[in-house]
Amino acid sequence: TNEKNYPKNYDWNLVNKPHQRVRIGNNIWYIDSQLTSIGSNVFKLISVVTEKDVLYKSILMFQLTTVIIIIALVTMVVTIILIAISFVRPLRTIGQRLNRVAQGEYSERIVLNRADEFGHLAMSANRMTEDLEQSHYAIQANISEIKKEREKSETLLLNILPASIAQ
């Protein structure tokens, strides 16, 4: 509060406790005092502020705090979304590729240029796909071989046994 606005005709010696609230005329004042010594002299420092000033500063602090909280919440939400995207996207890619493997499509590989767990998971899924592809082709080759051998056996039986028994 500037000099000309502080309360006149007030006995400042009555200020004896911190954060004292005083009504002087139509105004409410907050008065605080502190003893300070400079050399051998002791001084009583008194600060005076109106309730209006205190409320104004409180409103400013509340507004600033609200803005800081909103910024923090927005930052937190954006960070959570970015982290979620960085986790979901590679998992979705791996999941979609493994679904195609389950349908018998072995030719594609998962491409994730990452050195983290998702990169290791993609490499493991690619190795699994290669192993499944080789096993699938080996099984198909064995089935073809079995069919050929069965046809040979049936042909041999038909040639050896009489037609009425062979059928």
Side-chain angles (χ1 to χ4, degrees):
T1 306
N2 72 41
E3 227 174 89
K4 62 183 176 183
N5 290 331
Y6 73 88
K8 307 281 193 243
N9 302 323
Y10 184 76
D11 184 4
W12 298 108
N13 291 320
L14 296 175
V15 179
N16 54 9
K17 57 183 176 182
H19 315 296
Q20 192 169 337
R21 188 172 186 250
V22 177
R23 178 180 287 281
I24 302 171
N26 292 333
N27 295 322
I28 296 175
W29 299 82
Y30 289 94
I31 303 172
D32 207 353
S33 68
Q34 180 178 356
L35 291 177
T36 304
S37 55
I38 300 175
S40 62
N41 297 320
V42 177
F43 298 95
K44 186 175 192 178
L45 295 177
I46 298 175
S47 60
V48 181
V49 66
T50 64
E51 185 176 53
K52 178 180 161 186
D53 289 338
V54 171
L55 291 175
Y56 176 73
K57 294 291 183 184
S58 297
I59 289 170
L60 287 179
M61 288 175 57
F62 176 76
Q63 289 171 341
L64 179 63
T65 303
T66 303
V67 168
I68 290 171
I69 289 172
I70 289 171
I71 289 171
L73 288 174
V74 168
T75 303
M76 184 176 64
V77 167
V78 168
T79 302
I80 288 171
I81 289 170
L82 291 176
I83 289 172
I85 288 172
S86 73
F87 277 93
V88 170
R89 187 174 293 150
L91 286 176
R92 187 179 300 140
T93 301
I94 293 169
Q96 289 170 344
R97 180 62 203 117
L98 291 177
N99 281 335
R100 288 194 294 274
V101 168
Q103 295 169 358
E105 297 176 29
Y106 302 108
S107 59
E108 290 182 43
R109 297 295 180 254
I110 300 169
V111 180
L112 284 181
N113 297 322
R114 296 173 66 139
D116 60 1
E117 288 79 7
F118 293 119
H120 294 296
L121 180 61
M123 288 185 342
S124 295
N126 286 337
R127 271 193 305 258
M128 180 192 70
T129 301
E130 290 169 7
D131 292 346
L132 282 173
E133 183 179 29
Q134 290 172 0
S135 296
H136 176 77
Y137 288 134
I139 290 170
Q140 291 299 326
N142 288 340
I143 290 173
S144 295
E145 187 68 30
I146 290 171
K147 283 182 180 178
K148 286 179 188 175
E149 291 299 320
R150 183 175 169 208
E151 288 173 5
K152 281 184 192 177
S153 296
E154 287 177 356
T155 304
L156 187 60
L157 279 176
L158 287 176
N159 289 335
I160 295 177
L161 296 174
S164 61
I165 298 175
Q167 292 180 359

